């Protein structure tokens, strides 16, 4: 199932199992609307970051158009469901297929026409294309809803009003409503798990090994007979496709989509930060980085509020620990993570495991 790409570290394996089980049972372990929204956002980011890591970590391509494909998936589902009077699974399938088709064409065009240039020029081209698409989505108000976005209904099974049981499920940590929101969460969980395992299989296949060879030295890969432009283009297409599916899942969860929701450049920055925190070229880093980043983004303000109240009598500290300064502390945490984990959390844990084995051999 893991395509022989094992964690190679006991601490990493234990951490991954804890995070996987935590997400699998999140609705029951952490009852509440906010906790469920955070868990769903983590899942979406796992799929999105893993798809970007296929491009950056395994192929060595820097692209700023990843959020464009993410937004195409979200808009595909949003437009399809808002265009019908009665939401159906057929409308969702049509929206997903149309979004995948648009992403396929755009990623193919970007890859074939742009991947022959140097890396920095390709990054600038993708940034220009993504900015143009964001502007287009904001101005085509009749089609995309413009700046206001699109709100839509989902099939009854996924609707919060749908209930499996009138009585909530009582757990030691609280009550859990067995409704359509819970079904949507587990639909996203299953889809993200399938996407993650598929990407894991791709990077550990012969095709994935060629991508890694291109990342290390594209001239040597070309000399061995591999058409690097073709492989890079295929990697770009696959990455765009998985990002599109992640966008579809986000739209189903929110039942809304707008430019700031899925096309914002801030999302692109978040993806880059998560990749660095978790570790480039390690898909497991997408899971660990997404959990840490989204938790910090969602709960850091609450922690700062509690810390500010606890240090109320100490000079300067309450002013530094105010919730309004959460971005400052977010930056501090990121700097510390890069300083102590230069190869990412996954890379650091694997390095320690290797050093421990070498010491054991001596």
């Amino acid at each position: 199932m893991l395509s022989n790409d094992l964690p190679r570290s006991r601490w990493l394996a234990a951490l991954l199992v804890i995070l996987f089980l935590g997400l699998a049972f999140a609705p029951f372990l952490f009852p509440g609307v906010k906790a469920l929204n955070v868990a769903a956002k983590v899942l979406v980011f796992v799929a999105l970051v893993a798809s970007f890591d296929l491009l950056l970590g395994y192929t060595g391509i820097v692209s700023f158009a990843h959020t464009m494909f993410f937004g195409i998936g979200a808009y595909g589902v949003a437009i399809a469901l808002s265009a019908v009077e009665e939401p159906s699974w057929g409308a969702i399938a049509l929206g997903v297929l149309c979004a995948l088709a648009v992403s396929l064409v755009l990623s193919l065009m970007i890859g074939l026409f742009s991947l022959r240039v140097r890396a920095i020029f390709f990054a600038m081209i993708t940034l220009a294309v993504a900015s143009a698409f964001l502007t287009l989505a904001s101005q085509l108000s009749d089609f995309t809803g413009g700046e206001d976005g699109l709100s839509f209904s989902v099939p009854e099974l996924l609707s919060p009003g749908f209930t499996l049981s009138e009585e909530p499920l009582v757990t030691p940590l609280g009550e859990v409503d067995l409704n359509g929101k819970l079904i949507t969460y587990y639909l996203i969980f299953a889809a993200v798990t399938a996407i993650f395992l598929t990407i894991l299989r791709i990077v550990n296949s012969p095709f994935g090994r060629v991508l890694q060879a291109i990342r290390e030295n594209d001239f040597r890969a070309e000399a061995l007979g591999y058409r690097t432009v073709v492989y890079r283009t295929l990697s770009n297409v696959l990455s765009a496709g998985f990002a599109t599916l992640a966008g579809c899942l986000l739209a189903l969860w929110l039942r809304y989509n707008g430019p700031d929701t899925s096309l914002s450049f801030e999302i692109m920055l978040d993806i880059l930060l998560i990749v660095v925190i978790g570790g480039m070229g390690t898909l497991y880093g997408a899971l660990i980085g997404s959990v840490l980043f989204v938790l910090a983004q969602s709960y850091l303000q609450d922690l700062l509020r509690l810390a500010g109240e606890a240090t109320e009598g100490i000079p300067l500290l309450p002013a530094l620990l105010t919730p309004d300064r959460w971005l400052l502390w977010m930056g501090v945490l990121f700097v510390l993570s890069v300083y102590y984990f230069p190869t990412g959390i996954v890379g650091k844990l694997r390095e320690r495991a290797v050093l421990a084995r070498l010491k054991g051999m001596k």
Side-chain angles (χ1 to χ4, degrees):
M1 184 175 290
L2 296 178
S3 304
N4 293 322
D5 189 359
L6 301 178
R8 301 197 295 273
S9 166
R10 291 181 180 179
W11 287 104
L12 177 58
L15 180 59
L16 291 173
V17 169
I18 291 172
L19 294 181
F20 179 80
L21 293 178
L23 289 171
F25 297 101
F28 305 100
L29 294 173
F30 314 105
V33 176
K34 182 177 180 178
L36 193 61
N37 283 328
V38 170
K41 187 177 180 180
V42 167
L43 289 173
V44 172
F45 264 95
V46 168
L48 183 60
V49 174
S51 65
F52 184 71
D53 201 29
L54 171 63
L55 198 62
L56 177 64
Y58 286 90
T59 318
I61 299 174
V62 180
S63 171
F64 292 114
H66 210 62
T67 49
M68 178 182 72
F69 301 114
F70 184 58
I72 288 173
Y75 270 113
V77 171
I79 293 171
L81 286 175
S82 60
V84 296
E85 295 182 0
E86 187 71 25
S88 64
W89 293 98
I92 294 176
L94 179 62
V96 172
L97 290 175
C98 290
L100 286 173
V102 173
S103 293
L104 172 65
V105 172
L106 285 177
S107 60
L108 197 60
M109 291 175 60
I110 292 173
L112 290 177
F113 290 107
S114 305
L115 282 173
R116 296 179 184 273
V117 300
R118 292 178 180 270
I120 184 64
F121 297 114
F122 176 77
M124 293 300 100
I125 290 172
T126 56
L127 179 60
V129 173
S131 300
F133 191 87
L134 173 60
T135 304
L136 193 65
S138 301
Q139 292 182 351
L140 295 177
S141 56
D142 294 337
F143 192 59
T144 63
E147 295 289 346
D148 296 330
L150 293 171
S151 297
F152 54 90
S153 300
V154 293
E156 184 181 2
L157 184 64
L158 305 180
S159 173
F162 177 81
T163 56
L164 293 171
S165 173
E166 294 184 1
E167 296 294 329
L169 181 65
V170 180
T171 69
L173 298 175
E175 296 182 348
V176 179
D177 293 325
L178 302 178
N179 54 19
K181 203 70 173 175
L182 185 68
I183 296 173
T184 307
Y185 177 81
Y186 280 108
L187 172 65
I188 294 173
F189 179 83
V192 169
T193 302
I195 289 171
F196 186 87
L197 293 177
T198 302
I199 298 175
L200 195 63
R201 181 67 193 124
I202 289 172
V203 299
N204 288 287
S205 67
F207 172 78
R209 300 304 181 195
V210 175
L211 295 182
Q212 294 172 56
I214 293 172
R215 176 195 65 192
E216 297 299 327
N217 195 315
D218 58 341
F219 294 107
R220 289 184 180 180
E222 189 83 40
L224 289 172
Y226 296 107
R227 300 184 63 183
T228 56
V229 173
V230 174
Y231 279 89
R232 284 177 170 176
T233 302
L234 288 175
S235 176
N236 191 47
V237 170
L238 289 171
S239 177
F242 290 123
T244 302
L245 292 176
C248 295
L249 296 175
L250 178 71
L252 285 177
W253 177 257
L254 296 178
R255 305 191 307 281
Y256 164 83
N257 187 55
D260 294 334
T261 307
S262 57
L263 291 172
S264 172
F265 190 70
E266 292 180 6
I267 299 175
M268 190 69 244
L269 295 178
D270 293 345
I271 296 170
L272 290 169
L273 291 176
I274 293 172
V275 168
V276 173
I277 292 169
M280 285 190 293
T282 59
L283 286 182
Y284 298 121
L287 173 58
I288 296 173
S290 296
V291 171
L292 293 177
F293 183 84
V294 175
L295 284 178
Q297 197 178 52
S298 303
Y299 292 106
L300 189 57
Q301 286 179 291
D302 296 334
L303 291 175
L304 287 174
R305 185 179 296 108
L306 293 175
E309 293 174 356
T311 59
E312 193 170 354
I314 304 174
L316 294 179
L317 279 182
L320 287 174
L321 297 176
T322 179
D324 295 335
R325 301 186 188 277
W326 74 275
L327 280 175
L328 169 66
W329 291 104
M330 191 81 164
V332 171
L333 292 175
F334 175 71
V335 171
L336 290 175
S337 68
V338 172
Y339 181 78
Y340 288 104
F341 303 95
T343 56
I345 295 174
V346 173
K348 188 68 173 181
L349 291 176
R350 283 179 169 175
E351 286 175 7
R352 287 189 174 182
V354 171
L355 291 175
R357 292 192 193 99
L358 291 176
K359 289 181 179 179
M361 292 174 64
K362 292 179 181 180

